[in-house]
Short mmCIF file of all heavy atoms in Angstrom, two decimals:
data_model
loop_
_atom_site.label_atom_id
_atom_site.label_comp_id
_atom_site.label_asym_id
_atom_site.label_seq_id
_atom_site.Cartn_x
_atom_site.Cartn_y
_atom_site.Cartn_z
N MET A 1 -60.23 5.15 59.34
CA MET A 1 -60.89 5.81 60.46
C MET A 1 -61.34 7.20 60.02
O MET A 1 -60.60 7.93 59.38
CB MET A 1 -59.93 5.90 61.64
CG MET A 1 -60.48 6.66 62.80
SD MET A 1 -59.35 6.66 64.19
CE MET A 1 -60.38 5.84 65.35
N ARG A 2 -62.54 7.55 60.41
CA ARG A 2 -63.09 8.85 60.04
C ARG A 2 -62.73 9.88 61.10
O ARG A 2 -62.97 9.67 62.28
CB ARG A 2 -64.59 8.74 59.87
CG ARG A 2 -64.97 7.85 58.71
CD ARG A 2 -66.45 7.56 58.67
NE ARG A 2 -67.28 8.74 58.65
CZ ARG A 2 -67.80 9.29 57.56
NH1 ARG A 2 -67.58 8.74 56.39
NH2 ARG A 2 -68.55 10.36 57.64
N ARG A 3 -62.16 10.98 60.64
CA ARG A 3 -61.71 12.02 61.57
C ARG A 3 -62.86 12.91 62.02
O ARG A 3 -62.91 13.35 63.17
CB ARG A 3 -60.63 12.87 60.89
CG ARG A 3 -60.17 14.01 61.73
CD ARG A 3 -59.06 14.78 61.06
NE ARG A 3 -58.77 16.00 61.76
CZ ARG A 3 -57.84 16.86 61.41
NH1 ARG A 3 -57.08 16.61 60.36
NH2 ARG A 3 -57.63 17.96 62.10
N PHE A 4 -63.80 13.20 61.14
CA PHE A 4 -64.86 14.16 61.44
C PHE A 4 -66.19 13.46 61.68
O PHE A 4 -66.52 12.47 61.03
CB PHE A 4 -64.99 15.16 60.28
CG PHE A 4 -63.76 15.99 60.09
CD1 PHE A 4 -62.81 15.64 59.14
CD2 PHE A 4 -63.51 17.10 60.87
CE1 PHE A 4 -61.66 16.38 58.97
CE2 PHE A 4 -62.36 17.85 60.71
CZ PHE A 4 -61.43 17.50 59.75
N ASN A 5 -66.95 14.00 62.64
CA ASN A 5 -68.24 13.44 63.03
C ASN A 5 -69.24 14.56 63.29
O ASN A 5 -68.86 15.73 63.34
CB ASN A 5 -68.09 12.58 64.29
CG ASN A 5 -67.27 11.35 64.03
OD1 ASN A 5 -67.69 10.49 63.28
ND2 ASN A 5 -66.10 11.27 64.65
N LEU A 6 -70.49 14.17 63.51
CA LEU A 6 -71.56 15.14 63.78
C LEU A 6 -71.81 15.29 65.27
O LEU A 6 -71.61 14.35 66.04
CB LEU A 6 -72.87 14.67 63.14
CG LEU A 6 -72.91 14.58 61.63
CD1 LEU A 6 -74.26 14.05 61.21
CD2 LEU A 6 -72.63 15.90 61.00
N ARG A 7 -72.27 16.47 65.66
CA ARG A 7 -72.74 16.71 67.02
C ARG A 7 -74.03 17.52 66.92
O ARG A 7 -74.10 18.50 66.18
CB ARG A 7 -71.71 17.47 67.84
CG ARG A 7 -72.17 17.64 69.29
CD ARG A 7 -71.22 18.47 70.12
NE ARG A 7 -69.91 17.85 70.18
CZ ARG A 7 -68.81 18.51 70.53
NH1 ARG A 7 -68.85 19.79 70.81
NH2 ARG A 7 -67.65 17.90 70.56
N HIS A 8 -75.02 17.12 67.69
CA HIS A 8 -76.30 17.82 67.71
C HIS A 8 -76.20 19.05 68.58
O HIS A 8 -75.70 19.00 69.70
CB HIS A 8 -77.38 16.87 68.25
CG HIS A 8 -78.76 17.35 68.03
ND1 HIS A 8 -79.70 17.33 69.01
CD2 HIS A 8 -79.37 17.84 66.93
CE1 HIS A 8 -80.83 17.79 68.54
NE2 HIS A 8 -80.65 18.11 67.28
N GLU A 9 -76.68 20.19 68.05
CA GLU A 9 -76.66 21.44 68.79
C GLU A 9 -78.07 21.78 69.26
O GLU A 9 -79.03 21.05 68.99
CB GLU A 9 -76.18 22.59 67.88
CG GLU A 9 -74.76 22.50 67.43
CD GLU A 9 -74.35 23.73 66.67
OE1 GLU A 9 -74.87 23.93 65.55
OE2 GLU A 9 -73.54 24.51 67.20
N ILE A 10 -78.19 22.91 69.90
CA ILE A 10 -79.49 23.44 70.31
C ILE A 10 -80.28 23.85 69.06
O ILE A 10 -79.71 24.15 68.02
CB ILE A 10 -79.28 24.66 71.24
CG1 ILE A 10 -78.48 24.24 72.47
CG2 ILE A 10 -80.59 25.28 71.65
CD1 ILE A 10 -78.05 25.38 73.36
N ASP A 11 -81.59 23.89 69.17
CA ASP A 11 -82.48 24.32 68.10
C ASP A 11 -82.43 23.39 66.89
O ASP A 11 -82.62 23.83 65.76
CB ASP A 11 -82.19 25.76 67.65
CG ASP A 11 -82.39 26.76 68.79
OD1 ASP A 11 -83.23 26.49 69.66
OD2 ASP A 11 -81.71 27.78 68.78
N ASP A 12 -82.16 22.11 67.14
CA ASP A 12 -82.15 21.08 66.09
C ASP A 12 -81.16 21.38 64.96
O ASP A 12 -81.42 21.08 63.80
CB ASP A 12 -83.56 20.88 65.53
CG ASP A 12 -83.74 19.48 64.98
OD1 ASP A 12 -83.04 18.55 65.44
OD2 ASP A 12 -84.56 19.30 64.07
N LYS A 13 -80.06 22.00 65.28
CA LYS A 13 -78.98 22.25 64.33
C LYS A 13 -77.84 21.29 64.62
O LYS A 13 -77.75 20.70 65.69
CB LYS A 13 -78.48 23.70 64.41
CG LYS A 13 -79.52 24.74 64.09
CD LYS A 13 -79.91 24.68 62.65
CE LYS A 13 -80.93 25.76 62.34
NZ LYS A 13 -81.37 25.73 60.98
N TRP A 14 -76.92 21.15 63.65
CA TRP A 14 -75.82 20.20 63.75
C TRP A 14 -74.51 20.89 63.45
O TRP A 14 -74.47 21.86 62.71
CB TRP A 14 -76.03 19.06 62.76
CG TRP A 14 -77.20 18.22 63.12
CD1 TRP A 14 -78.51 18.46 62.80
CD2 TRP A 14 -77.20 17.01 63.87
NE1 TRP A 14 -79.32 17.49 63.31
CE2 TRP A 14 -78.54 16.57 63.96
CE3 TRP A 14 -76.21 16.26 64.46
CZ2 TRP A 14 -78.89 15.41 64.63
CZ3 TRP A 14 -76.55 15.09 65.12
CH2 TRP A 14 -77.88 14.68 65.21
N LEU A 15 -73.44 20.39 64.06
CA LEU A 15 -72.10 20.89 63.74
C LEU A 15 -71.18 19.71 63.48
O LEU A 15 -71.47 18.58 63.87
CB LEU A 15 -71.54 21.79 64.85
CG LEU A 15 -71.20 21.20 66.21
CD1 LEU A 15 -69.76 20.73 66.24
CD2 LEU A 15 -71.41 22.25 67.26
N VAL A 16 -70.09 20.00 62.80
CA VAL A 16 -69.08 18.99 62.49
C VAL A 16 -67.97 19.13 63.52
O VAL A 16 -67.49 20.24 63.78
CB VAL A 16 -68.53 19.17 61.06
CG1 VAL A 16 -67.44 18.16 60.77
CG2 VAL A 16 -69.66 19.04 60.04
N VAL A 17 -67.58 18.00 64.12
CA VAL A 17 -66.56 17.99 65.16
C VAL A 17 -65.31 17.29 64.64
O VAL A 17 -65.40 16.25 63.99
CB VAL A 17 -67.08 17.26 66.41
CG1 VAL A 17 -66.01 17.17 67.48
CG2 VAL A 17 -68.31 17.95 66.95
N ASP A 18 -64.15 17.90 64.91
CA ASP A 18 -62.86 17.30 64.57
C ASP A 18 -62.53 16.27 65.65
O ASP A 18 -62.38 16.62 66.82
CB ASP A 18 -61.79 18.39 64.52
CG ASP A 18 -60.44 17.89 64.06
OD1 ASP A 18 -60.14 16.70 64.28
OD2 ASP A 18 -59.68 18.69 63.51
N GLY A 19 -62.43 15.02 65.27
CA GLY A 19 -62.17 13.95 66.22
C GLY A 19 -60.80 14.00 66.86
O GLY A 19 -60.59 13.39 67.91
N LEU A 20 -59.86 14.72 66.28
CA LEU A 20 -58.53 14.84 66.88
C LEU A 20 -58.52 15.84 68.03
O LEU A 20 -57.87 15.63 69.04
CB LEU A 20 -57.50 15.26 65.83
CG LEU A 20 -57.22 14.26 64.72
CD1 LEU A 20 -56.21 14.84 63.74
CD2 LEU A 20 -56.71 12.95 65.29
N THR A 21 -59.25 16.94 67.85
CA THR A 21 -59.25 18.00 68.86
C THR A 21 -60.52 18.03 69.69
O THR A 21 -60.56 18.68 70.72
CB THR A 21 -59.10 19.37 68.19
OG1 THR A 21 -60.25 19.61 67.36
CG2 THR A 21 -57.82 19.45 67.37
N MET A 22 -61.57 17.35 69.22
CA MET A 22 -62.90 17.36 69.83
C MET A 22 -63.50 18.77 69.85
O MET A 22 -64.38 19.08 70.63
CB MET A 22 -62.87 16.75 71.24
CG MET A 22 -62.41 15.30 71.25
SD MET A 22 -63.27 14.22 70.06
CE MET A 22 -64.90 14.21 70.73
N GLU A 23 -63.01 19.62 68.98
CA GLU A 23 -63.51 20.99 68.81
C GLU A 23 -64.32 21.06 67.53
O GLU A 23 -64.17 20.22 66.64
CB GLU A 23 -62.34 21.98 68.73
CG GLU A 23 -61.50 22.06 69.98
CD GLU A 23 -62.25 22.70 71.14
OE1 GLU A 23 -63.07 23.61 70.89
OE2 GLU A 23 -62.01 22.28 72.29
N PRO A 24 -65.17 22.10 67.39
CA PRO A 24 -65.87 22.27 66.12
C PRO A 24 -64.87 22.39 64.97
O PRO A 24 -63.84 23.05 65.10
CB PRO A 24 -66.64 23.58 66.31
CG PRO A 24 -66.84 23.67 67.80
CD PRO A 24 -65.59 23.07 68.39
N ALA A 25 -65.17 21.71 63.88
CA ALA A 25 -64.28 21.73 62.73
C ALA A 25 -64.39 23.07 61.99
O ALA A 25 -65.40 23.77 62.08
CB ALA A 25 -64.65 20.59 61.78
N THR A 26 -63.34 23.40 61.27
CA THR A 26 -63.35 24.59 60.42
C THR A 26 -62.95 24.20 59.01
O THR A 26 -62.17 23.28 58.80
CB THR A 26 -62.38 25.67 60.95
OG1 THR A 26 -61.08 25.11 61.03
CG2 THR A 26 -62.81 26.19 62.30
N LEU A 27 -63.53 24.91 58.07
CA LEU A 27 -63.18 24.76 56.67
C LEU A 27 -62.68 26.12 56.23
O LEU A 27 -63.46 27.06 56.14
CB LEU A 27 -64.38 24.30 55.85
CG LEU A 27 -64.14 23.91 54.41
CD1 LEU A 27 -63.11 22.78 54.32
CD2 LEU A 27 -65.42 23.48 53.74
N GLY A 28 -61.38 26.23 56.02
CA GLY A 28 -60.78 27.55 55.86
C GLY A 28 -60.81 28.20 57.23
O GLY A 28 -60.32 27.65 58.20
N ASP A 29 -61.44 29.35 57.34
CA ASP A 29 -61.59 30.03 58.63
C ASP A 29 -63.02 29.98 59.13
O ASP A 29 -63.36 30.69 60.08
CB ASP A 29 -61.15 31.49 58.50
CG ASP A 29 -59.65 31.63 58.26
OD1 ASP A 29 -58.91 30.72 58.69
OD2 ASP A 29 -59.24 32.61 57.63
N VAL A 30 -63.87 29.17 58.49
CA VAL A 30 -65.30 29.15 58.83
C VAL A 30 -65.62 27.91 59.66
O VAL A 30 -65.31 26.79 59.25
CB VAL A 30 -66.16 29.17 57.54
CG1 VAL A 30 -67.64 29.11 57.87
CG2 VAL A 30 -65.84 30.40 56.71
N GLN A 31 -66.24 28.13 60.81
CA GLN A 31 -66.67 27.01 61.65
C GLN A 31 -67.84 26.30 60.98
O GLN A 31 -68.78 26.94 60.50
CB GLN A 31 -67.08 27.52 63.02
CG GLN A 31 -67.36 26.43 64.01
CD GLN A 31 -67.68 26.98 65.39
OE1 GLN A 31 -67.80 28.18 65.59
NE2 GLN A 31 -67.81 26.09 66.34
N VAL A 32 -67.79 24.98 60.92
CA VAL A 32 -68.80 24.19 60.24
C VAL A 32 -69.87 23.82 61.27
O VAL A 32 -69.80 22.78 61.93
CB VAL A 32 -68.18 22.93 59.59
CG1 VAL A 32 -69.20 22.20 58.77
CG2 VAL A 32 -66.99 23.32 58.73
N SER A 33 -70.87 24.71 61.41
CA SER A 33 -71.91 24.52 62.42
C SER A 33 -73.20 25.19 61.97
O SER A 33 -73.24 25.87 60.96
CB SER A 33 -71.47 25.11 63.76
OG SER A 33 -71.30 26.50 63.64
N GLY A 34 -74.27 24.95 62.75
CA GLY A 34 -75.55 25.60 62.48
C GLY A 34 -76.25 25.09 61.25
O GLY A 34 -76.98 25.83 60.60
N MET A 35 -76.06 23.81 60.92
CA MET A 35 -76.62 23.27 59.68
C MET A 35 -77.75 22.29 59.97
O MET A 35 -77.88 21.79 61.09
CB MET A 35 -75.53 22.54 58.91
CG MET A 35 -74.43 23.44 58.43
SD MET A 35 -73.13 22.51 57.63
CE MET A 35 -72.36 21.75 59.03
N SER A 36 -78.52 22.01 58.93
CA SER A 36 -79.51 20.94 59.02
C SER A 36 -78.75 19.62 59.05
O SER A 36 -77.56 19.55 58.72
CB SER A 36 -80.45 20.97 57.83
OG SER A 36 -79.76 20.56 56.64
N TRP A 37 -79.44 18.54 59.44
CA TRP A 37 -78.80 17.23 59.53
C TRP A 37 -78.24 16.81 58.17
O TRP A 37 -77.11 16.35 58.08
CB TRP A 37 -79.81 16.20 60.04
CG TRP A 37 -79.23 14.84 60.17
CD1 TRP A 37 -78.44 14.38 61.17
CD2 TRP A 37 -79.37 13.76 59.23
NE1 TRP A 37 -78.08 13.07 60.92
CE2 TRP A 37 -78.63 12.67 59.74
CE3 TRP A 37 -80.03 13.62 58.02
CZ2 TRP A 37 -78.55 11.46 59.08
CZ3 TRP A 37 -79.96 12.41 57.37
CH2 TRP A 37 -79.23 11.35 57.89
N ALA A 38 -79.00 17.01 57.08
CA ALA A 38 -78.55 16.61 55.75
C ALA A 38 -77.31 17.40 55.32
O ALA A 38 -76.36 16.82 54.77
CB ALA A 38 -79.67 16.79 54.73
N GLU A 39 -77.31 18.70 55.57
CA GLU A 39 -76.14 19.52 55.23
C GLU A 39 -74.92 19.07 56.02
O GLU A 39 -73.83 18.96 55.46
CB GLU A 39 -76.41 21.00 55.53
CG GLU A 39 -77.43 21.64 54.65
CD GLU A 39 -77.81 23.03 55.13
OE1 GLU A 39 -77.88 23.25 56.36
OE2 GLU A 39 -78.03 23.90 54.27
N ALA A 40 -75.09 18.83 57.31
CA ALA A 40 -73.98 18.42 58.15
C ALA A 40 -73.43 17.07 57.70
O ALA A 40 -72.21 16.86 57.70
CB ALA A 40 -74.42 18.38 59.61
N CYS A 41 -74.31 16.14 57.31
CA CYS A 41 -73.85 14.84 56.80
C CYS A 41 -72.99 15.03 55.56
O CYS A 41 -71.95 14.38 55.41
CB CYS A 41 -75.04 13.94 56.48
SG CYS A 41 -75.84 13.27 57.94
N ASP A 42 -73.42 15.91 54.66
CA ASP A 42 -72.64 16.19 53.45
C ASP A 42 -71.28 16.77 53.81
O ASP A 42 -70.26 16.40 53.21
CB ASP A 42 -73.39 17.14 52.52
CG ASP A 42 -74.58 16.50 51.83
OD1 ASP A 42 -74.65 15.24 51.80
OD2 ASP A 42 -75.44 17.25 51.34
N PHE A 43 -71.24 17.69 54.78
CA PHE A 43 -69.97 18.28 55.18
C PHE A 43 -69.05 17.26 55.83
O PHE A 43 -67.84 17.28 55.62
CB PHE A 43 -70.19 19.48 56.11
CG PHE A 43 -70.19 20.79 55.39
CD1 PHE A 43 -71.36 21.34 54.92
CD2 PHE A 43 -69.00 21.47 55.15
CE1 PHE A 43 -71.37 22.53 54.24
CE2 PHE A 43 -68.99 22.67 54.46
CZ PHE A 43 -70.18 23.20 54.00
N VAL A 44 -69.61 16.36 56.64
CA VAL A 44 -68.79 15.32 57.26
C VAL A 44 -68.15 14.46 56.17
O VAL A 44 -66.95 14.17 56.22
CB VAL A 44 -69.62 14.45 58.24
CG1 VAL A 44 -68.92 13.15 58.58
CG2 VAL A 44 -69.90 15.24 59.50
N ASP A 45 -68.93 14.07 55.18
CA ASP A 45 -68.39 13.27 54.07
C ASP A 45 -67.30 14.04 53.33
O ASP A 45 -66.24 13.49 53.03
CB ASP A 45 -69.50 12.87 53.10
CG ASP A 45 -70.42 11.81 53.68
OD1 ASP A 45 -70.04 11.13 54.66
OD2 ASP A 45 -71.54 11.67 53.14
N LEU A 46 -67.57 15.31 53.03
CA LEU A 46 -66.60 16.14 52.32
C LEU A 46 -65.30 16.28 53.12
O LEU A 46 -64.20 16.07 52.59
CB LEU A 46 -67.19 17.53 52.04
CG LEU A 46 -66.22 18.57 51.50
CD1 LEU A 46 -65.78 18.21 50.10
CD2 LEU A 46 -66.84 19.95 51.55
N MET A 47 -65.42 16.61 54.39
CA MET A 47 -64.23 16.85 55.19
C MET A 47 -63.44 15.57 55.43
O MET A 47 -62.21 15.59 55.45
CB MET A 47 -64.61 17.55 56.49
CG MET A 47 -65.15 18.95 56.19
SD MET A 47 -65.44 19.94 57.62
CE MET A 47 -63.77 20.36 58.07
N ASN A 48 -64.12 14.44 55.59
CA ASN A 48 -63.40 13.17 55.70
C ASN A 48 -62.71 12.80 54.40
O ASN A 48 -61.60 12.25 54.42
CB ASN A 48 -64.34 12.06 56.18
CG ASN A 48 -64.56 12.11 57.67
OD1 ASN A 48 -63.63 12.27 58.43
ND2 ASN A 48 -65.81 11.98 58.08
N SER A 49 -63.32 13.12 53.27
CA SER A 49 -62.67 12.87 51.97
C SER A 49 -61.44 13.75 51.80
O SER A 49 -60.38 13.28 51.36
CB SER A 49 -63.65 13.12 50.83
OG SER A 49 -64.70 12.20 50.86
N LEU A 50 -61.55 15.02 52.14
CA LEU A 50 -60.41 15.93 52.06
C LEU A 50 -59.28 15.48 52.98
O LEU A 50 -58.10 15.54 52.61
CB LEU A 50 -60.82 17.36 52.39
CG LEU A 50 -61.74 18.05 51.39
CD1 LEU A 50 -62.24 19.38 51.96
CD2 LEU A 50 -61.05 18.25 50.06
N ASP A 51 -59.63 15.02 54.17
CA ASP A 51 -58.62 14.53 55.12
C ASP A 51 -57.92 13.30 54.55
O ASP A 51 -56.70 13.18 54.65
CB ASP A 51 -59.28 14.20 56.46
CG ASP A 51 -58.28 13.73 57.49
OD1 ASP A 51 -57.31 14.47 57.77
OD2 ASP A 51 -58.46 12.61 58.00
N ALA A 52 -58.66 12.39 53.95
CA ALA A 52 -58.06 11.19 53.35
C ALA A 52 -57.13 11.55 52.20
O ALA A 52 -56.04 10.98 52.08
CB ALA A 52 -59.15 10.24 52.88
N ILE A 53 -57.54 12.51 51.38
CA ILE A 53 -56.69 12.96 50.27
C ILE A 53 -55.39 13.56 50.81
O ILE A 53 -54.30 13.27 50.30
CB ILE A 53 -57.44 13.97 49.38
CG1 ILE A 53 -58.54 13.26 48.61
CG2 ILE A 53 -56.48 14.69 48.44
CD1 ILE A 53 -59.52 14.20 47.94
N GLU A 54 -55.51 14.37 51.85
CA GLU A 54 -54.32 14.99 52.44
C GLU A 54 -53.37 13.93 53.00
O GLU A 54 -52.16 13.97 52.77
CB GLU A 54 -54.71 15.97 53.54
CG GLU A 54 -53.53 16.69 54.15
CD GLU A 54 -53.93 17.70 55.20
OE1 GLU A 54 -55.13 17.84 55.49
OE2 GLU A 54 -53.01 18.33 55.76
N ARG A 55 -53.91 12.96 53.74
CA ARG A 55 -53.07 11.90 54.31
C ARG A 55 -52.42 11.07 53.21
O ARG A 55 -51.23 10.74 53.29
CB ARG A 55 -53.90 11.00 55.23
CG ARG A 55 -54.14 11.62 56.59
CD ARG A 55 -54.87 10.68 57.54
NE ARG A 55 -56.29 10.61 57.17
CZ ARG A 55 -56.91 9.51 56.73
NH1 ARG A 55 -56.25 8.37 56.63
NH2 ARG A 55 -58.18 9.54 56.42
N ASP A 56 -53.17 10.73 52.15
CA ASP A 56 -52.61 9.93 51.06
C ASP A 56 -51.55 10.71 50.30
O ASP A 56 -50.53 10.15 49.89
CB ASP A 56 -53.70 9.48 50.10
CG ASP A 56 -54.57 8.38 50.71
OD1 ASP A 56 -54.17 7.78 51.72
OD2 ASP A 56 -55.66 8.14 50.16
N SER A 57 -51.78 12.01 50.09
CA SER A 57 -50.79 12.80 49.34
C SER A 57 -49.48 12.89 50.10
O SER A 57 -48.41 12.85 49.51
CB SER A 57 -51.33 14.20 49.03
OG SER A 57 -51.49 14.96 50.20
N ILE A 58 -49.53 12.96 51.41
CA ILE A 58 -48.31 13.00 52.24
C ILE A 58 -47.59 11.67 52.13
O ILE A 58 -46.37 11.60 51.97
CB ILE A 58 -48.65 13.34 53.69
CG1 ILE A 58 -49.12 14.79 53.79
CG2 ILE A 58 -47.45 13.09 54.60
CD1 ILE A 58 -49.74 15.15 55.13
N ARG A 59 -48.35 10.57 52.17
CA ARG A 59 -47.77 9.24 52.11
C ARG A 59 -47.09 9.01 50.76
O ARG A 59 -46.01 8.45 50.69
CB ARG A 59 -48.83 8.18 52.34
CG ARG A 59 -48.28 6.78 52.35
CD ARG A 59 -49.34 5.76 52.69
NE ARG A 59 -50.35 5.79 51.65
CZ ARG A 59 -51.53 5.22 51.75
NH1 ARG A 59 -51.89 4.64 52.86
NH2 ARG A 59 -52.39 5.25 50.75
N TYR A 60 -47.71 9.47 49.67
CA TYR A 60 -47.13 9.25 48.34
C TYR A 60 -46.03 10.25 48.01
O TYR A 60 -45.15 9.96 47.23
CB TYR A 60 -48.22 9.30 47.26
CG TYR A 60 -49.11 8.09 47.30
CD1 TYR A 60 -50.44 8.18 47.66
CD2 TYR A 60 -48.60 6.82 47.01
CE1 TYR A 60 -51.25 7.05 47.71
CE2 TYR A 60 -49.40 5.69 47.06
CZ TYR A 60 -50.73 5.82 47.41
OH TYR A 60 -51.52 4.70 47.47
N ALA A 61 -46.07 11.43 48.63
CA ALA A 61 -45.05 12.44 48.36
C ALA A 61 -43.72 12.09 49.03
O ALA A 61 -42.66 12.42 48.50
CB ALA A 61 -45.52 13.80 48.82
N ALA A 62 -43.75 11.41 50.16
CA ALA A 62 -42.52 11.09 50.88
C ALA A 62 -41.55 10.27 50.06
O ALA A 62 -40.37 10.62 49.99
CB ALA A 62 -42.87 10.39 52.20
N PRO A 63 -41.97 9.18 49.37
CA PRO A 63 -41.01 8.43 48.55
C PRO A 63 -40.48 9.25 47.39
O PRO A 63 -39.33 9.08 46.99
CB PRO A 63 -41.82 7.24 48.05
CG PRO A 63 -42.96 7.10 48.98
CD PRO A 63 -43.24 8.48 49.47
N LEU A 64 -41.28 10.14 46.84
CA LEU A 64 -40.82 10.96 45.72
C LEU A 64 -39.78 11.98 46.17
O LEU A 64 -38.87 12.32 45.41
CB LEU A 64 -42.01 11.67 45.06
CG LEU A 64 -42.99 10.76 44.36
CD1 LEU A 64 -44.18 11.57 43.86
CD2 LEU A 64 -42.35 9.99 43.22
N ALA A 65 -39.88 12.46 47.39
CA ALA A 65 -38.92 13.44 47.90
C ALA A 65 -37.55 12.80 48.10
O ALA A 65 -36.53 13.48 48.03
CB ALA A 65 -39.43 14.01 49.22
N ALA A 66 -37.53 11.50 48.31
CA ALA A 66 -36.25 10.81 48.53
C ALA A 66 -35.49 10.55 47.24
O ALA A 66 -34.31 10.23 47.27
CB ALA A 66 -36.51 9.47 49.23
N VAL A 67 -36.17 10.72 46.09
CA VAL A 67 -35.54 10.44 44.80
C VAL A 67 -34.66 11.59 44.36
O VAL A 67 -34.78 12.69 44.58
CB VAL A 67 -36.62 10.17 43.73
CG1 VAL A 67 -35.99 10.01 42.36
CG2 VAL A 67 -37.39 8.95 44.12
#
């Protein structure tokens, strides 16, 4: 399941929305908004990849912590 999605803003700009909070997503402390459609698509892919890596690392780290 993909956590991050696009939302169309005013003036033909796009923002990335966090599907868990339904709020604009942030990368670090920067809100991911005000982008062209192509840029926003790239950010959605990037942020969903980072989220998948984080979830997988937690899943694989748990068995190692028990050793």
Side-chain angles (χ1 to χ4, degrees):
M1 176 177 242
R2 294 171 55 98
R3 177 177 170 179
F4 297 97
N5 293 294
L6 296 178
R7 184 184 300 162
H8 193 226
E9 293 186 292
I10 300 172
D11 298 331
D12 207 27
K13 298 292 182 182
W14 293 84
L15 67 90
V16 177
V17 177
D18 185 332
L20 294 178
T21 64
M22 299 310 293
E23 296 291 326
T26 57
L27 189 58
D29 293 332
V30 179
Q31 188 176 6
V32 186
S33 63
M35 295 176 286
S36 71
W37 180 79
E39 291 171 323
C41 286
D42 288 343
F43 264 92
V44 164
D45 289 341
L46 171 68
M47 294 187 74
N48 280 315
S49 294
L50 292 171
D51 182 57
I53 290 168
E54 182 178 1
R55 282 184 285 116
D56 288 345
S57 67
I58 291 168
R59 182 176 63 194
Y60 288 113
L64 293 175
V67 174

